[in-house]
């Protein structure tokens, strides 16, 4: 009798499933279709973003931000690969992997170090010191500890100029060009040896120029701080500044070093104009292209490398290091350089 009773209980359930089978099939197929459409839409959007960034300019605020974050685009594709793997769909896995490879191409270059010839002859320090820094001695101490031959600084306010002039720790760098401003675009250069230093204009922003010699070769060093592309107007001027820098490099009769805060990542087309003009990224030369310098823990935004040292042909990069967090929103850079090219210019 127990078997009969259990059979009687199952009959309504079986009958209910049979009656509602079309509904179950419909719901399942609908959810599956929605899931598939969502995957392909997301994959298409990421693929389109990759292509768009590859061929677009960066002279507007939205595009400048998009290019700045391009180095993180590959992270958005990783969930798509896992998603397609869980769905056991080979076409979807293949599509996600292709998009992943394209996005990874943004960050892959610059991670194989070159082997420089010769010996380092110059240690260059570059730092955006933050014009409203409350403890300049802290930054100065970090700079002095590394004992650079040449120091180029950005965001030099009048308060910073006073701190530099009255710092006993900087006595070993008596040769100076200090150009303070009330805003963020004052610059300063400090050297252990006498050098010819001038202030030049970069589309309305001061830029220090230093003439030095490495192994008999004259080299021009520029202390750069471009406008941040935080609006369409600023982005247009910033893009123009980057173009002017590239033009200066191309037309220079001597090799050039650009150092400072470019408000650009290596993924920006404006930055690529500089490398296209014949400059090499010091971080990439030592295989550390993904190093970060900003915001140095001060702001909750994705870390980027906005600070760069770019060197012309013949200038060798022996070492690159970022300084510690010292109260500025930018980490200082310390780069050991040498000369291994043919002499040119005068």
């Amino acid at each position: 009798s127990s078997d009969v009773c259990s059979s009687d209980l199952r009959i309504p359930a079986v009958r209910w499933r049979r009656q509602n089978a079309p509904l179950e099939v419909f719901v399942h197929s609908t959810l599956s279709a929605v899931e598939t459409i969502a995957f392909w839409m997301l994959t298409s959007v990421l693929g389109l973003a990759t292509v768009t960034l590859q061929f677009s300019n960066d002279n507007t605020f939205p595009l400048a931000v998009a290019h700045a974050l391009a180095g993180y685009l590959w992270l958005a594709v990783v969930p798509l690969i896992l998603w397609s793997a869980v769905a056991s769909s080979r076409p979807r896995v293949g599509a996600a992997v292709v998009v992943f490879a394209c996005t990874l191409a943004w960050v892959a270059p610059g991670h194989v170090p070159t082997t420089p010839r010769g010996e380092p002859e110059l240690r260059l320090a570059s730092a955006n010191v933050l014009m409203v820094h409350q403890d300049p001695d802290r930054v100065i101490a970090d700079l002095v500890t590394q004992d650079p031959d040449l120091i180029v600084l950005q965001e030099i306010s009048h308060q910073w100029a006073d701190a530099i002039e009255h710092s006993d720790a900087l006595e070993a760098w008596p040769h100076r060009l200090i150009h303070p401003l009330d805003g963020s675009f004052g610059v300063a250069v400090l050297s252990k040896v006498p050098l010819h230093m001038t202030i030049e204009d970069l589309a309305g922003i001061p830029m220090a120029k230093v003439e030095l010699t490495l192994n008999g070769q004259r080299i021009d060093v520029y202390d750069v701080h471009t406008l941040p592309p935080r609006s369409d107007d600023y982005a247009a001027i910033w893009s123009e500044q980057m173009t002017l820098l590239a033009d200066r490099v191309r037309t220079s009769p001597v090799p050039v070093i650009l150092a400072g805060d470019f408000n650009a990542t290596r993924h920006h087309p404006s930055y690529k104009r500089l490398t296209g003009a014949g400059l090499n990224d010091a971080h990439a030369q030592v295989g550390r292209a993904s190093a970060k310098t900003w915001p140095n823990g001060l702001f909750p935004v994705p870390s980027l490398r906005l600070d760069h040292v770019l060197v012309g042909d013949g200038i060798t990069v022996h070492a690159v290091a970022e300084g510690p967090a010292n109260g500025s929103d930018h980490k200082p850079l310390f780069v050991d350089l040498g000369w291994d090219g043919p002499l040119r210019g005068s």
Side-chain angles (χ1 to χ4, degrees):
S1 61
S2 60
D3 291 341
V4 173
C5 290
S6 61
S7 298
D8 290 342
L9 291 174
R10 286 198 300 269
I11 289 173
V14 171
R15 185 180 299 116
W16 186 91
R17 285 197 298 270
R18 288 176 177 173
Q19 291 174 347
N20 290 278
L23 178 61
E24 291 183 15
V25 171
F26 173 77
V27 171
H28 182 271
S29 61
T30 300
L31 291 176
S32 178
V34 169
E35 187 262 349
T36 301
I37 292 171
F39 171 85
W40 286 110
M41 286 183 64
L42 287 172
T43 303
S44 299
V45 167
L46 289 172
L48 181 62
T50 303
V51 173
T52 300
L53 288 174
Q54 191 67 39
F55 296 101
S56 64
N57 207 330
D58 54 9
N59 55 357
T60 64
F61 170 69
L63 284 174
V65 172
H67 282 285
L69 298 175
Y72 287 100
L73 194 58
W74 66 274
L75 290 172
V77 187
V78 173
L80 291 180
I81 297 176
L82 299 176
W83 184 1
S84 55
V86 170
S88 299
S89 171
R90 288 185 178 180
R92 284 163 55 168
V93 170
V97 168
V98 168
V99 176
F100 178 76
C102 292
T103 56
L104 200 61
W106 285 93
V107 296
H111 290 89
V112 178
T114 60
T115 302
R117 293 180 293 181
E119 297 294 330
E121 302 171 61
L122 172 78
R123 173 163 289 184
L124 170 67
S126 175
N128 180 323
V129 296
L130 185 63
M131 66 172 180
V132 293
H133 202 296
Q134 300 301 308
D135 189 7
D137 289 340
R138 183 179 172 189
V139 179
I140 291 172
D142 289 337
L143 293 171
V144 170
T145 298
Q146 295 294 325
D147 194 29
D149 302 292
L150 181 66
I151 302 172
V152 298
L153 304 174
Q154 304 91 46
E155 291 205 20
I156 297 298
S157 62
H158 292 282
Q159 291 81 3
W160 256 107
D162 290 339
I164 292 171
E165 292 287 15
H166 294 95
S167 173
D168 293 337
L170 292 173
E171 288 182 350
W173 293 265
H175 308 282
R176 303 171 180 180
L177 174 62
I178 303 175
H179 186 77
L181 291 176
D182 290 332
S184 301
F185 296 98
V187 292
V189 178
L190 291 78
S191 172
K192 287 186 173 183
V193 299
L195 295 172
H196 185 251
M197 310 177 190
T198 56
I199 292 294
E200 303 198 1
D201 179 78
L202 181 64
I205 300 297
M207 175 177 64
K209 177 184 177 182
V210 183
E211 297 176 8
L212 57 81
T213 301
L214 287 182
N215 197 19
Q217 171 65 56
R218 179 190 141 187
I219 294 173
D220 290 344
V221 182
Y222 292 92
D223 182 8
V224 177
H225 188 193
T226 63
L227 279 177
R230 61 189 179 198
S231 68
D232 283 349
D233 289 342
Y234 270 36
I237 297 172
W238 166 77
S239 180
E240 178 190 359
Q241 289 175 323
M242 299 291 273
T243 299
L244 290 172
L245 287 171
D247 292 342
R248 187 180 289 255
V249 171
R250 288 193 188 93
T251 58
S252 175
V254 299
V256 169
I257 297 173
L258 303 182
D261 173 10
F262 292 76
N263 280 302
T265 71
R266 64 192 179 103
H267 310 299
H268 279 104
S270 291
Y271 179 86
K272 294 176 182 178
R273 287 200 287 274
L274 298 179
T275 55
L279 296 177
N280 298 307
D281 184 334
H283 277 86
Q285 293 295 97
V286 298
R288 300 188 56 244
S290 291
K292 305 294 190 291
T293 63
W294 180 90
N296 203 11
L298 266 66
F299 311 108
V301 297
S303 294
L304 306 170
R305 179 158 60 91
L306 304 181
D307 305 87
H308 309 276
V309 173
L310 300 170
V311 302
D313 290 339
I315 303 171
T316 55
V317 181
H318 294 262
V320 177
E322 297 79 49
N326 56 22
S328 174
D329 54 335
H330 293 256
K331 293 181 179 180
L333 299 180
F334 302 97
V335 184
D336 291 340
L337 301 170
W339 174 254
D340 190 46
L343 298 181
R344 65 186 178 95
S346 59

